[in-house]
Amino acid sequence: MLQPLKILFRTNWMSRSYSSYVSRMRYLNRIKEDDEVCQTALQSGDIFLFHKLAPLLQQTGSGIYQFPALQAEDVKGILENLGEDKEMMKDSVLINCTKQNKAQFCLDVGSIEQSAVENLCGGTFIDLRKAFFLLREPEAPLASRGQALLRWHQTNVFCSSTGQPTHRNQSGSQRVCLSSGITYYPKMSPVVITLVSDGKRCLLGRQATFPQGMYSALAGFCDMGETMEETLCREIAEEVGLEVESIRYSGSQHWPFPQSSLMVACHATVNPDNTQIRLDTMELEDARWFSLEEVQEALKIKTPPRKNEGQPTVFWVPPNHAIANRLIQEWANQLQP
């Protein structure tokens, strides 16, 4: 059912200097594995701040929000000004490396008064779900990765086998139980997200927790032992009572909600003669078929619309950097004359 993936990487990826990319990936791996190299990289690296897993955002004069990269020395100064031990810097977790081989770290300062940090940084700590609608690419994925790693460290302080404390390496790429010798690595849960079509319309649903008026592609976690195809077919049957006829792979994306997921995105088709939705209200608040014209109008909306009293709720879809948006865009582009 799943069509073979013929092209793994797009042309713009392949156009990059291969030797430069390999060099950067090997340097990133050295930072992950070698504590001394990581400590050196931290002193000259970029640091993104979080407060209880909420990223620090700054608003520019033009009203655009950004996820600021602070210099290590500036973060040390902030900690000292607030009477904190600058050794807190060592709690930073490696998240990436720029094309200029500058290491990028994230640090959660949740033990410090939030407003005090905001005043010194000229920004605001904003819940990641809201931040996703404010940030632009590639900053949103960076905030997503940072929060996911910080959350993983906060929830894996103890060994699940012995109950003893685990100890992280400098980069935060792993935690080890010294009692049992077990090494723990950050994990993601596989999720299949699917845009269902009957050939002329696409099916979108919404959960009660979604912002007002927003509909998205259907998604569900893989059960233990399931293939991606099995998960997709099962979820569509469970949530909307439809049987899938064919599946086409689109791409994948890390997604930080509810914790850390790997979203595997697919297009699915159903028989146009069997499109009656039988909604599972335990899973979804609503699900509907939408025409190409309705979807095209929704794609024009770039920020969550405000509802005016007495006016109908506006239909819109997830932001550009969400893979659900890409699925919807691909479907609309395919149907356009």
Side-chain angles (χ1 to χ4, degrees):
M1 296 178 70
L2 184 65
Q3 293 185 4
L5 182 59
K6 297 180 180 179
I7 301 176
L8 286 176
F9 302 104
R10 299 185 185 277
T11 305
N12 60 355
W13 188 95
M14 295 300 290
S15 66
R16 296 183 299 190
S17 168
Y18 181 74
S19 60
S20 173
Y21 178 77
V22 170
S23 174
R24 179 158 60 96
M25 290 301 101
R26 288 182 172 176
Y27 174 57
L28 181 61
N29 190 58
R30 283 184 62 207
I31 302 174
K32 286 181 181 178
E33 302 298 328
D34 190 314
D35 285 356
E36 290 187 6
V37 173
C38 185
Q39 288 171 7
T40 301
L42 178 59
Q43 300 309 311
S44 59
D46 290 335
I47 299 180
F48 298 89
L49 294 185
F50 289 75
H51 190 280
K52 297 181 180 178
L53 301 179
L56 177 74
L57 270 57
Q58 290 177 343
Q59 190 173 17
T60 66
S62 58
I64 297 174
Y65 282 87
Q66 58 186 12
F67 186 39
L70 304 180
Q71 301 301 306
E73 286 300 319
D74 293 334
V75 175
K76 287 181 183 178
I78 291 170
L79 295 176
E80 290 176 343
N81 283 337
L82 295 174
E84 299 292 331
D85 190 342
K86 63 182 181 182
E87 290 297 304
M88 184 187 289
M89 286 273 294
K90 292 184 178 180
D91 294 335
S92 300
V93 176
L94 177 69
I95 52 176
N96 208 349
C97 181
T98 69
K99 292 181 179 179
Q100 294 73 37
N101 279 359
K102 191 172 188 180
Q104 297 173 305
F105 296 83
C106 57
L107 175 64
D108 196 298
V109 293
S111 61
I112 307 175
E113 184 183 352
Q114 178 176 330
S115 59
V117 183
E118 291 175 336
N119 290 336
L120 285 177
C121 296
T124 306
F125 291 103
I126 298 178
D127 179 81
L128 188 61
R129 286 186 182 274
K130 182 178 179 181
F132 252 54
F133 294 105
L134 301 174
L135 290 173
R136 298 183 175 185
E137 291 186 289
E139 293 180 316
L142 199 60
S144 166
R145 181 184 300 186
Q147 193 215 55
L149 286 168
L150 290 170
R151 184 193 296 274
W152 181 80
H153 280 283
Q154 291 177 10
T155 56
N156 286 269
V157 177
F158 297 98
C159 174
S160 61
S161 178
T162 66
Q164 296 298 310
T166 57
H167 302 269
R168 51 164 283 186
N169 63 346
Q170 183 58 60
S171 68
S173 64
Q174 62 184 45
R175 300 188 72 93
V176 178
C177 173
L178 301 181
S179 176
S180 65
I182 298 174
T183 301
Y184 294 91
Y185 298 95
K187 291 180 173 61
M188 296 189 294
S189 299
V191 175
V192 178
I193 181 167
T194 313
L195 188 69
V196 179
S197 172
D198 66 355
K200 295 182 179 180
R201 302 172 298 171
C202 73
L203 178 64
L204 300 174
R206 61 171 281 109
Q207 298 177 0
T209 56
F210 283 7
Q212 193 173 49
M214 192 187 85
Y215 282 73
S216 184
L218 306 184
F221 286 93
C222 293
D223 283 346
M224 185 67 71
E226 275 190 327
T227 65
M228 185 178 71
E229 298 93 326
E230 289 171 337
T231 299
L232 188 156
C233 294
R234 173 181 57 77
E235 286 291 338
I236 299 305
E238 287 177 357
E239 295 187 354
V240 292
L242 296 174
E243 291 190 28
V244 170
E245 289 193 333
S246 66
I247 303 170
R248 178 167 55 89
Y249 173 81
S250 173
S252 62
Q253 178 186 42
H254 171 255
W255 194 246
F257 312 115
Q259 291 192 9
S260 188
S261 305
L262 175 63
M263 306 286 283
V264 180
C266 297
H267 291 275
T269 59
V270 297
N271 189 322
D273 296 327
N274 185 19
T275 59
Q276 182 178 352
I277 297 172
R278 296 179 291 277
L279 188 69
D280 180 357
T281 55
M282 296 292 291
E283 294 280 347
L284 297 173
E285 181 182 74
D286 189 26
R288 303 180 198 172
W289 289 103
F290 291 90
S291 68
L292 174 61
E293 292 75 18
E294 289 174 311
V295 167
Q296 287 174 326
E297 288 301 312
L299 287 169
K300 295 177 183 178
I301 302 173
K302 302 304 180 183
T303 57
R306 294 182 179 179
K307 183 181 179 182
N308 296 320
E309 189 173 348
Q311 296 296 318
T313 301
V314 177
F315 159 55
W316 57 293
V317 296
N320 288 340
H321 43 263
I323 203 164
N325 184 284
R326 189 172 93 179
L327 284 172
I328 296 167
Q329 288 272 11
E330 289 174 345
W331 176 81
N333 291 341
Q334 185 179 2
L335 287 192
Q336 285 176 356

